[in-house]
Amino acid sequence: MSHITLVRHGQANTDARDEASYDKLSELGHQQARWLGAHLQFTRTTYTRVYCGTLTRHVETAASMGLAEPIRDPRLNEIEYFTIAKLFEEQHGVVVPTDREGFVEHLPRTFAAWANGDIKNTPETFEEFEARVSGALRDIGTEGGPAIVVTSGGLISMVVRQAMGLDIPSMARVALAIMNTSMHRLHPIGPQLSPVLFNAIPHLEAPDRQYAQTHL
């Protein structure tokens, strides 16, 4: 039995207000990924199995890290937050924020409304999101050596919710905390996967790299 390490993608296009525009790494995002890859090489951390979502920012992060060609699984993709937020605005008048402070308040409200079924015609329901995440992690499993998974913050927060039994507000706080190219590790403890590492960024802790500790 071995572990699964989840990695959030590098910084994407922070000026985007829709899914397509957001889905590419900034130059800083590529640099964050290169530093993480170098850190894994320096510490001789190897993964026999490599996975990522099918989004451009996932594939670009894995490539800049220097990982082996990953298995691409759409179940590892992020929720369509911009789409859901736009529907929330259209249906309930909750304006999509333009700064981080507004986003900190907006994300928990959006998650709660989505989970309660108050936002209609979303690309997927909250329950469908839960099911695809648990299915993907179950299929990756812990057999065959350590696995690394390049994905997104919303998905990682769902993994933590499922492992720890978090409510929606707690899941939202987890999502807001997750930094770009941070690592999150799950170990099998008894019959379940349990978090043993959260939001680790050893590759960004040197004084001259702390500017690269980004959330958006």
Side-chain angles (χ1 to χ4, degrees):
M1 303 291 281
S2 193
H3 59 262
I4 300 172
T5 299
L6 304 168
V7 174
R8 186 190 176 196
H9 61 79
Q11 184 193 62
N13 178 16
T14 58
D15 294 327
R17 293 296 177 266
D18 60 72
E19 305 296 339
S21 300
Y22 182 70
D23 193 25
K24 58 182 177 182
L25 292 191
S26 66
E27 181 48 45
L28 177 58
H30 282 288
Q31 182 61 71
Q32 292 166 330
R34 288 192 291 268
W35 279 332
L36 177 55
H39 169 77
L40 295 178
Q41 288 186 347
F42 178 74
T43 57
R44 298 182 182 179
T45 305
T46 58
Y47 295 92
T48 57
R49 300 178 297 135
V50 181
Y51 301 83
C52 73
T54 61
L55 298 175
T56 299
R57 59 190 183 271
H58 299 158
V59 176
E60 289 182 340
T61 298
S64 287
M65 287 175 64
L67 295 175
E69 181 63 29
I71 296 171
R72 302 182 189 185
D73 186 339
R75 295 177 299 173
L76 299 171
N77 288 350
E78 181 63 293
I79 62 171
E80 293 187 29
Y81 188 81
F82 288 108
T83 302
I84 294 170
K86 187 64 176 176
L87 290 169
F88 197 20
E89 181 176 4
E90 292 171 355
Q91 296 172 21
H92 299 281
V94 179
V95 178
V96 181
T98 58
D99 55 21
R100 175 165 172 76
E101 289 71 23
F103 186 68
V104 167
E105 178 183 353
H106 185 265
L107 188 142
R109 290 186 66 187
T110 305
F111 272 16
W114 182 35
N116 290 335
D118 296 333
I119 308 174
K120 306 304 180 185
N121 302 316
T122 53
E124 62 182 337
T125 66
F126 189 83
E127 291 76 15
E128 288 168 341
F129 177 48
E130 283 189 303
R132 72 168 164 93
V133 172
S134 62
L137 266 289
R138 181 176 60 251
D139 289 349
I140 291 170
T142 54
E143 300 291 340
I148 190 166
V149 178
V150 180
T151 182
S152 292
L155 186 138
I156 294 170
S157 72
M158 175 57 79
V159 171
V160 176
R161 164 182 160 83
Q162 293 175 342
M164 302 298 292
L166 301 181
D167 59 17
I168 301 300
S170 299
M171 175 187 167
R173 289 197 298 274
V174 167
L176 288 166
I178 294 172
M179 289 186 280
N180 295 115
T181 62
S182 55
M183 294 185 291
H184 312 257
R185 187 163 296 139
L186 302 166
H187 265 287
I189 299 177
Q192 296 180 329
L193 289 171
S194 297
V196 296
L197 185 72
F198 176 76
N199 223 18
I201 48 165
H203 57 298
L204 301 179
E205 291 181 345
D208 62 344
R209 296 184 183 179
Q210 290 178 5
Y211 75 92
Q213 296 179 9
T214 60
H215 292 85
L216 296 177

